[in-house]
Amino acid sequence: MTFRERLRALPTFPPDLPPFGVDLDDLATAPATPQELFGRWFDDALAAGVGAPHAATLSTADAEGRVHARTLVIKDVTDDGWWFAGHASSPKGRDLDANPSAALTVFWRDLGRQVRVTGRAASAGPDAGAADFRARPEGSRAAGLVGHQSEPLGSRDEYWDAFADRLADTRADPAVVAPGWTAWVLAPETVEFWAASDDKGQSRLRYRSTGTTTENDPAWTKELLWP
């Protein structure tokens, strides 16, 4: 069997997929914001026992337009947008400094659901970055203090020695924060909810930002998309 044949023989989704959870024939009844619907879908993923439901793929591009992607964990979802964190000197940090446009993709395969968030990411400020870092588990803080993310590594021993030193630093001073640690918030311009079904094809609902209301709340247009 060729590799193509092996790929095509694989099942894409399990049976008995859940309904979309929104009346797609009456979008006026859909949640007013994409954050609210994301929260509902996230709760469904938790209830279904989906592994790492907070994992997402962040896609960025550098100043020359070269696209990079990596999997990370979402730190929060607020009215401001979707939050994630890391070193300002990391590849994603350098990309976002040169080009703040980004996309975040969440895929819950067991539910046949995907969420795509596109917009512009910005630092939430040093206090938010420090708070995020201090909330990380001890080992994660030590790894963050090691730094040098994505730089060439001479040997694993070199890394483990650096990790052990930074772990000692973390234990000696639990309040220490890695230099340049940043919490970013991706302010959404569009948020698309995609769902497969057992027998009715696919459904796509997009929220598109239209600015703010007179009360200075985010305003959204809800629209169906062809699958």
Side-chain angles (χ1 to χ4, degrees):
M1 182 180 291
T2 67
F3 194 73
R4 174 187 288 271
E5 290 170 336
R6 289 165 60 195
L7 290 174
R8 295 181 69 88
L10 292 171
T12 304
F13 298 110
D16 302 321
L17 294 174
F20 197 93
V22 168
D23 184 355
L24 298 179
D25 293 321
D26 185 4
L27 296 186
T29 64
T33 70
Q35 286 93 329
E36 183 180 347
L37 182 53
F38 184 87
R40 291 186 189 180
W41 277 23
F42 184 82
D43 288 343
D44 289 344
L46 283 177
V50 173
H54 57 336
T57 299
L58 175 71
S59 301
T60 58
D62 61 22
E64 286 72 42
R66 292 184 292 260
V67 178
H68 309 106
R70 76 287 290 160
T71 300
L72 44 68
V73 294
I74 297 169
K75 295 302 188 74
D76 201 358
V77 180
T78 66
D79 291 343
D80 293 324
W82 277 251
W83 294 64
F84 57 93
H87 284 285
S89 59
S90 67
K92 65 176 172 288
R94 295 195 300 270
D95 280 2
L96 292 172
D97 184 58
N99 179 1
S101 295
L104 198 68
T105 306
V106 182
F107 180 53
W108 295 308
R109 182 259 177 188
D110 293 350
L111 301 180
R113 289 175 173 177
Q114 176 180 248
V115 182
R116 300 170 57 212
V117 184
T118 60
R120 295 171 69 85
S123 168
D127 290 345
D132 176 89
F133 190 83
R134 291 177 179 136
R136 294 165 66 87
E138 184 180 78
S140 295
R141 280 180 281 139
L145 287 168
V146 169
H148 304 292
Q149 185 178 359
S150 299
E151 296 176 12
L153 174 65
S155 70
R156 290 290 290 168
D157 286 341
E158 182 181 351
Y159 172 74
W160 289 124
D161 288 344
F163 180 85
D165 289 343
R166 300 294 79 78
L167 184 60
D169 293 342
T170 298
R171 290 172 175 170
D173 181 7
V176 67
V177 175
W181 192 262
T182 303
W184 288 277
V185 58
L186 177 59
E189 296 171 358
T190 66
V191 183
E192 180 188 320
F193 296 83
W194 178 97
S197 67
D198 292 328
D199 57 2
K200 295 182 179 179
Q202 305 164 3
S203 299
R204 296 171 65 188
L205 169 61
R206 180 171 65 187
Y207 286 74
R208 184 164 44 85
S209 175
T210 56
T212 57
T213 66
T214 55
E215 291 79 21
N216 208 34
D217 293 324
W220 297 94
T221 293
K222 295 171 282 188
E223 55 195 357
L224 298 178
L225 300 177
W226 282 85

